Amino acid sequence: MKIGKFTITRRDVSDYMLLLVGAMFYTVGWGAFMLPYQITIGGVAGVSSIVYFVANIPADYVYFVINAVLMLSGLKVLGFKFMLKTIFTIVSVTLMLRLVQTLLMQDDGTLLQLMGPSESFMACILGSVLTGLGLGFIFMHNGSTGGTDIVAAIVNKYHSDVSLGRVLTICDIVIVSSCYFIFYDWRRVVFGFCTLFVMYYVMDYFMERQRHSVQFFIVTKKYDEISRAINEKVDRGCTLLASEGSYTHEQSKVVMCLARRYESDRIFELINEIDPNAFVSMSRVVGVFGEGFARIHAAKKKK
C-alpha cells in the first residue's frame, strides 16, 4: 500500500503493532511499579522520574519535552526514516504513561502502590522485568524509546570509535547515582542499579531467544510444492539446490530454508502435510544476516 511517497508493507504494520505492545510493557513497568515506589531507572525515563519526585511535575510531560528536544536535534543528523519508529514509540509511551498515572492517582496526589507500601523490592523486580520485555520488543523491531539512545547514536555517528553501549552505560550510571542527592538513601541507588541489571538482562535474553535461527535441508520429490508452501504460509524464502543420489544417481533438488526457531513447527507441519516421507535435516545456526533477519554491520575503517 502506498501513502504519498511511502510504501507500507505487511512487515511495517507488524512492526508498528509490536512496537505498541513493547511500549505498553515498558510503560506499565515504569509507571505502575517504578514511579509509585520512587525507584529511578536510566535514560530520559530516569530524568523524568527524578523531576517528578522533586517537583511533582507529571513524568509524561518531562519525558515528552526532553525527547522532543533531542528528536529535533537528531533529526538532521540521523534522518527522518531512522527517527520515524522512535517518534511513534515516544508518543505511545507518553500517552500510555498519562493513562497509567491517571488510573493510579489517589486523592492525596500520590500514586497507588500496587504491591503494598513495604514491597519496594518486589516492585523493583516486576518493574524491571516488564520494562526489559518492553525494550526487547521495541529494539527487535528497530524502534527506540528515544532519550539517551538518540544521544548515543549522534555521538557514534561523529565518533565511530566510541561504542553505543559505553555512552548508554555512562548516562545510566550518572542518572541513577544522582537520586542519592534527592533522597540521601543508598538503598534507592542500589534498587536503581538492580533495576538496570535485571532490565537489560531480560531485554538481552528476550532478544537472543527471538533471534535464534535454524537451517532446513529438505530432501523430497515434492520440492516445488514444499518451497511454495513455505514462501506463502511462513513468508520465508527457499533455495533449491541441485542434488544427485549416490546410489541411484537420480537427479533431484534439495530445499534449503533459513527461518526463526519459532517458525520451525509451522514448517514441519507443512512438510508433513505435503510429503510425510520427506527426509529433513534441521540445525541451529549461529547468525543469519540479510533481509528478514539481522542487518549486516561492518566497522568503518579510519582513513
Side-chain angles (χ1 to χ4, degrees):
M1 183 175 68
K2 273 196 170 186
I3 300 179
K5 296 181 180 179
F6 298 98
T7 302
I8 299 176
T9 64
R10 186 173 64 179
R11 189 176 293 277
D12 290 329
V13 174
S14 174
D15 280 347
Y16 280 100
M17 291 298 292
L18 290 170
L19 284 175
L20 204 58
V21 172
M24 181 186 68
F25 279 118
Y26 182 81
T27 305
V28 172
W30 174 28
F33 294 99
M34 302 295 187
L35 285 179
Y37 288 90
Q38 297 183 331
I39 299 172
T40 306
I41 60 177
V44 170
V47 176
S48 305
S49 299
I50 291 172
V51 173
Y52 171 72
F53 301 150
V54 173
N56 205 30
I57 299 174
D60 54 302
Y61 294 169
V62 181
Y63 178 81
F64 184 78
V65 169
I66 294 175
N67 273 307
V69 173
L70 290 172
M71 282 189 294
L72 290 174
S73 304
L75 196 61
K76 185 177 180 180
V77 177
L78 302 175
F80 180 73
K81 188 176 180 180
F82 175 85
M83 298 290 286
L84 190 59
K85 288 183 178 179
T86 299
I87 294 170
F88 176 82
T89 307
I90 289 170
V91 172
S92 300
V93 170
T94 302
L95 295 176
M96 290 180 186
L97 186 61
R98 172 93 310 249
L99 177 63
V100 168
Q101 289 181 112
T102 302
L103 292 174
L104 296 181
M105 189 62 68
Q106 300 181 104
D107 295 335
D108 60 358
T110 61
L111 296 174
L112 176 66
Q113 295 181 336
L114 296 176
M115 303 299 297
S118 59
E119 296 293 338
S120 298
F121 181 73
M122 286 303 299
C124 170
I125 297 300
L126 283 174
S128 304
V129 170
L130 288 172
T131 52
L133 193 59
L135 288 174
F137 270 103
I138 291 167
F139 289 134
M140 275 293 295
H141 298 280
N142 302 315
S144 166
T145 54
T148 50
D149 297 343
I150 299 174
V151 175
I154 294 173
V155 171
N156 184 256
K157 187 175 181 68
Y158 290 108
H159 302 280
S160 57
D161 55 326
V162 180
S163 69
L164 292 172
R166 188 183 305 169
V167 177
L168 291 172
T169 302
I170 292 171
C171 290
D172 287 345
I173 290 173
V174 170
I175 292 167
V176 171
S177 300
S178 65
C179 75
Y180 174 77
F181 301 100
I182 299 169
F183 302 109
Y184 294 99
D185 184 358
W186 281 109
R187 191 185 65 163
R188 296 186 186 279
V189 178
V190 173
F191 277 172
F193 284 117
C194 286
T195 298
L196 292 180
F197 177 79
V198 176
M199 181 173 66
Y200 288 133
Y201 178 82
V202 171
M203 181 186 73
D204 287 342
Y205 180 79
F206 174 78
M207 292 177 70
E208 286 302 315
R209 293 280 294 179
Q210 294 300 311
R211 283 174 176 166
H212 285 173
S213 300
V214 292
Q215 180 174 259
F216 285 90
F217 283 104
I218 309 165
V219 181
T220 173
K221 292 181 179 180
K222 298 182 179 180
Y223 49 83
D224 275 332
E225 294 176 53
I226 289 177
S227 60
R228 194 179 307 114
I230 294 173
N231 291 159
E232 295 173 356
K233 297 181 180 180
V234 188
D235 196 24
R236 286 295 176 193
C238 296
T239 301
L240 299 179
L241 307 175
S243 66
E244 180 181 344
S246 63
Y247 180 75
T248 62
H249 296 286
E250 182 180 349
Q251 302 289 326
S252 185
K253 291 182 180 178
V254 174
V255 180
M256 186 192 78
C257 176
L258 290 163
R260 299 292 187 192
R261 189 171 66 176
Y262 61 82
E263 296 170 327
S264 59
D265 289 340
R266 181 56 178 149
I267 293 174
F268 275 119
E269 288 176 8
L270 293 173
I271 295 170
N272 191 51
E273 289 173 8
I274 298 170
D275 184 6
N277 297 317
F279 184 82
V280 182
S281 167
M282 184 185 80
S283 58
R284 179 178 167 184
V285 292
V286 176
V288 182
F289 302 91
E291 186 176 352
F293 294 92
R295 293 183 179 179
I296 298 174
H297 295 284
K300 295 180 180 179
K301 293 182 178 180
K302 291 184 178 181
K303 293 183 180 180

mmCIF file of all heavy atoms in Angstrom, residues 126-156:
data_model
loop_
_atom_site.group_PDB
_atom_site.id
_atom_site.type_symbol
_atom_site.label_atom_id
_atom_site.label_comp_id
_atom_site.label_asym_id
_atom_site.label_seq_id
_atom_site.Cartn_x
_atom_site.Cartn_y
_atom_site.Cartn_z
ATOM 1 N N LEU A 126 9.534 -6.693 39.447
ATOM 2 C CA LEU A 126 8.450 -6.751 38.456
ATOM 3 C C LEU A 126 8.569 -5.620 37.434
ATOM 4 O O LEU A 126 8.390 -5.828 36.235
ATOM 5 C CB LEU A 126 7.090 -6.678 39.155
ATOM 6 C CG LEU A 126 6.619 -7.962 39.841
ATOM 7 C CD1 LEU A 126 5.341 -7.713 40.623
ATOM 8 C CD2 LEU A 126 6.383 -9.055 38.812
ATOM 9 N N GLY A 127 8.860 -4.415 37.923
ATOM 10 C CA GLY A 127 9.022 -3.290 37.006
ATOM 11 C C GLY A 127 10.177 -3.495 36.045
ATOM 12 O O GLY A 127 10.077 -3.185 34.858
ATOM 13 N N SER A 128 11.289 -4.057 36.545
ATOM 14 C CA SER A 128 12.459 -4.305 35.703
ATOM 15 C C SER A 128 12.157 -5.335 34.619
ATOM 16 O O SER A 128 12.557 -5.179 33.459
ATOM 17 C CB SER A 128 13.626 -4.810 36.552
ATOM 18 O OG SER A 128 13.929 -3.914 37.578
ATOM 19 N N VAL A 129 11.443 -6.405 34.993
ATOM 20 C CA VAL A 129 11.102 -7.451 34.024
ATOM 21 C C VAL A 129 10.205 -6.888 32.925
ATOM 22 O O VAL A 129 10.424 -7.135 31.736
ATOM 23 C CB VAL A 129 10.419 -8.640 34.730
ATOM 24 C CG1 VAL A 129 9.846 -9.623 33.708
ATOM 25 C CG2 VAL A 129 11.397 -9.356 35.646
ATOM 26 N N LEU A 130 9.209 -6.111 33.316
ATOM 27 C CA LEU A 130 8.274 -5.551 32.326
ATOM 28 C C LEU A 130 8.961 -4.538 31.417
ATOM 29 O O LEU A 130 8.760 -4.556 30.193
ATOM 30 C CB LEU A 130 7.085 -4.901 33.042
ATOM 31 C CG LEU A 130 6.090 -5.866 33.692
ATOM 32 C CD1 LEU A 130 5.075 -5.109 34.535
ATOM 33 C CD2 LEU A 130 5.373 -6.692 32.632
ATOM 34 N N THR A 131 9.781 -3.654 31.991
ATOM 35 C CA THR A 131 10.476 -2.671 31.149
ATOM 36 C C THR A 131 11.495 -3.353 30.235
ATOM 37 O O THR A 131 11.647 -2.964 29.070
ATOM 38 C CB THR A 131 11.189 -1.606 32.010
ATOM 39 O OG1 THR A 131 12.007 -2.255 32.989
ATOM 40 C CG2 THR A 131 10.187 -0.696 32.698
ATOM 41 N N GLY A 132 12.178 -4.385 30.743
ATOM 42 C CA GLY A 132 13.125 -5.124 29.904
ATOM 43 C C GLY A 132 12.430 -5.830 28.760
ATOM 44 O O GLY A 132 12.915 -5.836 27.617
ATOM 45 N N LEU A 133 11.276 -6.421 29.045
ATOM 46 C CA LEU A 133 10.499 -7.086 27.994
ATOM 47 C C LEU A 133 10.026 -6.072 26.954
ATOM 48 O O LEU A 133 10.070 -6.329 25.746
ATOM 49 C CB LEU A 133 9.299 -7.792 28.630
ATOM 50 C CG LEU A 133 8.527 -8.800 27.777
ATOM 51 C CD1 LEU A 133 9.431 -9.929 27.304
ATOM 52 C CD2 LEU A 133 7.340 -9.361 28.556
ATOM 53 N N GLY A 134 9.575 -4.911 27.443
ATOM 54 C CA GLY A 134 9.139 -3.865 26.519
ATOM 55 C C GLY A 134 10.264 -3.383 25.618
ATOM 56 O O GLY A 134 10.084 -3.218 24.408
ATOM 57 N N LEU A 135 11.453 -3.158 26.204
ATOM 58 C CA LEU A 135 12.599 -2.735 25.402
ATOM 59 C C LEU A 135 12.988 -3.799 24.394
ATOM 60 O O LEU A 135 13.407 -3.487 23.271
ATOM 61 C CB LEU A 135 13.782 -2.410 26.319
ATOM 62 C CG LEU A 135 13.673 -1.134 27.157
ATOM 63 C CD1 LEU A 135 14.858 -1.028 28.114
ATOM 64 C CD2 LEU A 135 13.600 0.100 26.274
ATOM 65 N N GLY A 136 12.855 -5.075 24.789
ATOM 66 C CA GLY A 136 13.152 -6.158 23.854
ATOM 67 C C GLY A 136 12.262 -6.097 22.631
ATOM 68 O O GLY A 136 12.738 -6.186 21.492
ATOM 69 N N PHE A 137 10.958 -5.924 22.834
ATOM 70 C CA PHE A 137 10.018 -5.780 21.716
ATOM 71 C C PHE A 137 10.392 -4.579 20.849
ATOM 72 O O PHE A 137 10.381 -4.653 19.614
ATOM 73 C CB PHE A 137 8.586 -5.589 22.245
ATOM 74 C CG PHE A 137 7.827 -6.860 22.444
ATOM 75 C CD1 PHE A 137 7.644 -7.387 23.710
ATOM 76 C CD2 PHE A 137 7.273 -7.537 21.369
ATOM 77 C CE1 PHE A 137 6.939 -8.554 23.909
ATOM 78 C CE2 PHE A 137 6.560 -8.710 21.545
ATOM 79 C CZ PHE A 137 6.394 -9.233 22.815
ATOM 80 N N ILE A 138 10.694 -3.468 21.497
ATOM 81 C CA ILE A 138 10.956 -2.221 20.766
ATOM 82 C C ILE A 138 12.231 -2.325 19.935
ATOM 83 O O ILE A 138 12.238 -2.000 18.740
ATOM 84 C CB ILE A 138 11.039 -1.040 21.754
ATOM 85 C CG1 ILE A 138 9.660 -0.761 22.352
ATOM 86 C CG2 ILE A 138 11.581 0.219 21.070
ATOM 87 C CD1 ILE A 138 9.662 0.166 23.557
ATOM 88 N N PHE A 139 13.328 -2.800 20.529
ATOM 89 C CA PHE A 139 14.597 -2.887 19.803
ATOM 90 C C PHE A 139 14.576 -3.979 18.738
ATOM 91 O O PHE A 139 15.247 -3.861 17.710
ATOM 92 C CB PHE A 139 15.751 -3.111 20.777
ATOM 93 C CG PHE A 139 16.081 -1.907 21.612
ATOM 94 C CD1 PHE A 139 16.280 -2.026 22.979
ATOM 95 C CD2 PHE A 139 16.180 -0.659 21.048
ATOM 96 C CE1 PHE A 139 16.574 -0.919 23.761
ATOM 97 C CE2 PHE A 139 16.468 0.463 21.809
ATOM 98 C CZ PHE A 139 16.669 0.335 23.168
ATOM 99 N N MET A 140 13.812 -5.061 18.981
ATOM 100 C CA MET A 140 13.727 -6.134 17.991
ATOM 101 C C MET A 140 13.105 -5.652 16.689
ATOM 102 O O MET A 140 13.366 -6.191 15.616
ATOM 103 C CB MET A 140 12.897 -7.302 18.536
ATOM 104 C CG MET A 140 13.664 -8.299 19.376
ATOM 105 S SD MET A 140 14.882 -9.231 18.421
ATOM 106 C CE MET A 140 13.815 -10.147 17.328
ATOM 107 N N HIS A 141 12.283 -4.608 16.782
ATOM 108 C CA HIS A 141 11.580 -4.118 15.593
ATOM 109 C C HIS A 141 12.056 -2.715 15.225
ATOM 110 O O HIS A 141 11.290 -1.883 14.735
ATOM 111 C CB HIS A 141 10.073 -4.166 15.832
ATOM 112 C CG HIS A 141 9.576 -5.562 16.071
ATOM 113 N ND1 HIS A 141 9.343 -6.439 15.048
ATOM 114 C CD2 HIS A 141 9.349 -6.253 17.222
ATOM 115 C CE1 HIS A 141 8.950 -7.605 15.550
ATOM 116 N NE2 HIS A 141 8.962 -7.518 16.858
ATOM 117 N N ASN A 142 13.354 -2.484 15.486
ATOM 118 C CA ASN A 142 14.059 -1.277 15.034
ATOM 119 C C ASN A 142 13.468 0.009 15.590
ATOM 120 O O ASN A 142 13.511 1.055 14.937
ATOM 121 C CB ASN A 142 14.085 -1.205 13.494
ATOM 122 C CG ASN A 142 14.731 -2.420 12.880
ATOM 123 O OD1 ASN A 142 15.781 -2.864 13.342
ATOM 124 N ND2 ASN A 142 14.105 -2.988 11.866
ATOM 125 N N GLY A 143 12.897 -0.074 16.782
ATOM 126 C CA GLY A 143 12.389 1.118 17.435
ATOM 127 C C GLY A 143 13.339 1.584 18.521
ATOM 128 O O GLY A 143 14.421 1.030 18.718
ATOM 129 N N SER A 144 12.931 2.601 19.247
ATOM 130 C CA SER A 144 13.748 3.142 20.324
ATOM 131 C C SER A 144 12.851 3.968 21.226
ATOM 132 O O SER A 144 11.844 4.522 20.775
ATOM 133 C CB SER A 144 14.874 4.005 19.750
ATOM 134 O OG SER A 144 15.471 4.788 20.759
ATOM 135 N N THR A 145 13.196 4.033 22.504
ATOM 136 C CA THR A 145 12.445 4.879 23.428
ATOM 137 C C THR A 145 12.993 6.299 23.457
ATOM 138 O O THR A 145 12.585 7.114 24.283
ATOM 139 C CB THR A 145 12.494 4.291 24.858
ATOM 140 O OG1 THR A 145 13.859 4.075 25.235
ATOM 141 C CG2 THR A 145 11.736 2.989 24.930
ATOM 142 N N GLY A 146 13.927 6.600 22.549
ATOM 143 C CA GLY A 146 14.478 7.945 22.453
ATOM 144 C C GLY A 146 15.483 8.239 23.548
ATOM 145 O O GLY A 146 16.188 7.353 24.025
ATOM 146 N N GLY A 147 15.549 9.490 23.940
ATOM 147 C CA GLY A 147 16.415 9.885 25.050
ATOM 148 C C GLY A 147 17.879 9.632 24.793
ATOM 149 O O GLY A 147 18.449 10.074 23.782
ATOM 150 N N THR A 148 18.510 8.908 25.721
ATOM 151 C CA THR A 148 19.945 8.658 25.614
ATOM 152 C C THR A 148 20.293 7.810 24.393
ATOM 153 O O THR A 148 21.434 7.822 23.945
ATOM 154 C CB THR A 148 20.459 7.962 26.889
ATOM 155 O OG1 THR A 148 19.633 6.834 27.182
ATOM 156 C CG2 THR A 148 20.437 8.911 28.074
ATOM 157 N N ASP A 149 19.309 7.060 23.857
ATOM 158 C CA ASP A 149 19.560 6.318 22.615
ATOM 159 C C ASP A 149 19.902 7.278 21.475
ATOM 160 O O ASP A 149 20.777 7.005 20.652
ATOM 161 C CB ASP A 149 18.323 5.495 22.219
ATOM 162 C CG ASP A 149 17.995 4.431 23.252
ATOM 163 O OD1 ASP A 149 18.883 4.124 24.070
ATOM 164 O OD2 ASP A 149 16.877 3.911 23.236
ATOM 165 N N ILE A 150 19.184 8.395 21.418
ATOM 166 C CA ILE A 150 19.445 9.400 20.374
ATOM 167 C C ILE A 150 20.816 10.040 20.595
ATOM 168 O O ILE A 150 21.589 10.224 19.645
ATOM 169 C CB ILE A 150 18.339 10.477 20.377
ATOM 170 C CG1 ILE A 150 16.975 9.835 20.074
ATOM 171 C CG2 ILE A 150 18.646 11.563 19.347
ATOM 172 C CD1 ILE A 150 15.813 10.797 20.191
ATOM 173 N N VAL A 151 21.113 10.371 21.854
ATOM 174 C CA VAL A 151 22.423 10.958 22.171
ATOM 175 C C VAL A 151 23.542 10.006 21.761
ATOM 176 O O VAL A 151 24.524 10.400 21.134
ATOM 177 C CB VAL A 151 22.518 11.285 23.674
ATOM 178 C CG1 VAL A 151 23.918 11.777 24.025
ATOM 179 C CG2 VAL A 151 21.484 12.328 24.071
ATOM 180 N N ALA A 152 23.385 8.729 22.115
ATOM 181 C CA ALA A 152 24.403 7.731 21.788
ATOM 182 C C ALA A 152 24.567 7.573 20.280
ATOM 183 O O ALA A 152 25.687 7.446 19.770
ATOM 184 C CB ALA A 152 24.040 6.392 22.422
ATOM 185 N N ALA A 153 23.445 7.593 19.545
ATOM 186 C CA ALA A 153 23.512 7.452 18.089
ATOM 187 C C ALA A 153 24.223 8.641 17.444
ATOM 188 O O ALA A 153 24.998 8.487 16.491
ATOM 189 C CB ALA A 153 22.103 7.302 17.515
ATOM 190 N N ILE A 154 23.974 9.850 17.967
ATOM 191 C CA ILE A 154 24.641 11.052 17.435
ATOM 192 C C ILE A 154 26.139 11.002 17.725
ATOM 193 O O ILE A 154 26.971 11.285 16.850
ATOM 194 C CB ILE A 154 24.008 12.326 18.045
ATOM 195 C CG1 ILE A 154 22.553 12.480 17.568
ATOM 196 C CG2 ILE A 154 24.812 13.560 17.655
ATOM 197 C CD1 ILE A 154 21.808 13.609 18.266
ATOM 198 N N VAL A 155 26.492 10.629 18.956
ATOM 199 C CA VAL A 155 27.911 10.526 19.328
ATOM 200 C C VAL A 155 28.606 9.489 18.464
ATOM 201 O O VAL A 155 29.714 9.694 17.947
ATOM 202 C CB VAL A 155 28.057 10.171 20.826
ATOM 203 C CG1 VAL A 155 29.510 9.841 21.160
ATOM 204 C CG2 VAL A 155 27.570 11.315 21.697
ATOM 205 N N ASN A 156 27.938 8.342 18.255
ATOM 206 C CA ASN A 156 28.529 7.268 17.469
ATOM 207 C C ASN A 156 28.693 7.663 16.010
ATOM 208 O O ASN A 156 29.625 7.201 15.337
ATOM 209 C CB ASN A 156 27.656 6.013 17.581
ATOM 210 C CG ASN A 156 28.255 4.825 16.866
ATOM 211 O OD1 ASN A 156 27.810 4.454 15.777
ATOM 212 N ND2 ASN A 156 29.276 4.223 17.464
#
